[in-house]
Amino acid sequence: MTQAAVDATESLLDVERLRADFPALAQTVNGRPLVYLDNAATTQKPISVIEAVSRFYREDNANVHRAIYELGERATRAYEGARGKVADLIGAPERSIVFTSGTTESINLVAYAWGRHNLGPGDEIVITAMEHHSNLVPWQLAARDTGATLRHIPLTDDNLLDLEAARTVIGERTKMVALVHKSNVFGVVNPVAEITALAREVGALVLLDAAQSAPHFRVDVQELDCDFLAFSGHKMLGPTGVGVLYGKPELLEAMEPFLGGGEMISSVNLTESTWNEIPWKFEAGTPKIAQAIGLGAAIDYLEEVGIDRVTAYLGQLSDHARQVLSAVPGVTLFTPAVGSAVFLFNLEGIHPHDLAQLLDQEGIAVRAGHHCAQPAMAHLGVAATARASFYIYNTFEEIDRLAEGLNQARRFMSG
Amino acid sequence: MTELRDLYQQLILDHNQHPRNFGVLEGADLMARGNNPLCGDQLDLYVALEDDSIKDIRFEGSGCAIFKSSTSIMTTVVKGKTRGEALEIFERFHRLATTGEVDSAEMVKLAALASVYKYPVRVKCALLAWRTLETALQEQGEIVSTE
Ligand SMILES: Cc1ncc(COP(=O)(O)O)c(C=O)c1O
């Protein structure tokens, strides 16, 4: 590592101190210190998040909104407090924040509750060729059920969105443009302002899959002017099982419910019901109380570190990764120069599954496969790739260990 | 990484780099396709029969070293065997890949894969070729998936 890199790291984040907050990082795997580089799949959790979940179960556990006693009031305050933290994080009013189980459910909610009532034959849904399956399959199902047509914006040879093509794909028939904000395969941030402008010209709605962007930089829904935004708690230090759907209040008001049951109703008789106000209209049944509270604690943690510093540090790690990974003989990097924190690559002559197994032996966790984005793999013309993705607790040394691991793997597989 | 040498033995690396019987078999009597959807391993297996024996067998496909070497070794082992014999070897190989048991001297080449059982997620890589062969021999010719 260069001295400049060390200095910059120290001025940005005290990573060593921060790592002490993450119990899972302090372990060895196959006798080597764990190097966890699968953060695009899910991040590790700081003690404050683990404690927030555990404290809820130890001290405040009760169902929310219904109980007229101290514990129930505390649980409700904590749960709604978490909603407030999410709202502040993305610059949205609280009533526009729906807790879901994750990005996948958030997108399905829109594809059902909005899609099934607003789409029909002749209408078009536009996605991109770099979507995660969770922003692809729900729209395939919506198109199948409503007779609408699913179209996609293709990619350029540099693995970027083809904006030229977007101008022709988005047209008068387009009713919904649903796209990934930051790609979980290429690490690039898509030009959502340009795409949104195209959608506005034709009166289409815009949904952003922010599963990777929300953990990496400040996402402000007013600035983005999107209609819907979806993300997951577990990719930004929070617990699994909770995610967020933001929707413009007037759209959420006008939409039909998604799931029916308790909590989401206003009044019920044996033949019909009326709906609760937003956002609770979309939160049928007992919600993800402990998980939402854990997500609130994760947001507190990120705000304390400083989200802009998270972004800057991930940028530094990425510059270092680009440099050392490109220097490994036989590495093909698919992440474009503008990509960050997510590095997609292959090592010549070694299948990514073998590579992941060999790296695991060195305690290094990377992902191998299609990363739930088979159309993107088809664009690259490969069946599988390896992916290393970083978060705030990763170090320059860990990236060096990855590069060393790749060199070892090459020597190992040549016998 | 040296600890992984039991899984990636020299014979495995050799078959991975230089797969035997690789390529399309013109005039095959049987063909079957196999895949591991979660990892993307893909296999096209071609078999030419003479009476009840496997006169020739070839494959095309892409996947990890365990998959590729297991397929390559399989083609060398079953060539010249009758259908019944081939299926019987599969039974013994299945035991080997899931328990590590090598039950006869005939299994020498296949024994290179005897450590696979210690890596449960890789067992399906080693078995895909055999499952696909089983399908081909039973003339079902459908897509085999080990997930
Ligand atoms: C870009 C993107 N979208 C959606 C998802 C799905 O998130 P979840 O599985 O939490 O619903 C992921 C997670 O892998 C992702 O990276």
Side-chain angles (χ1 to χ4, degrees), chain B residues 45-71:
Chain B
L45 190 67
Y46 306 90
V47 180
L49 291 174
E50 192 169 60
D51 301 326
D52 197 41
S53 291
I54 298 172
K55 189 172 102 203
D56 203 359
I57 176 166
R58 294 179 75 78
F59 78 101
E60 280 202 307
S62 66
C64 68
I66 304 302
F67 154 75
K68 216 159 149 195
S69 59
S70 176
T71 311

Side-chain angles (χ1 to χ4, degrees), chain B residues 69-83:
Chain B
S69 59
S70 176
T71 311
S72 172
I73 294 172
M74 177 190 81
T75 60
T76 65
V77 168
V78 300
K79 209 186 269 194
K81 299 282 190 292
T82 65
R83 287 184 202 225

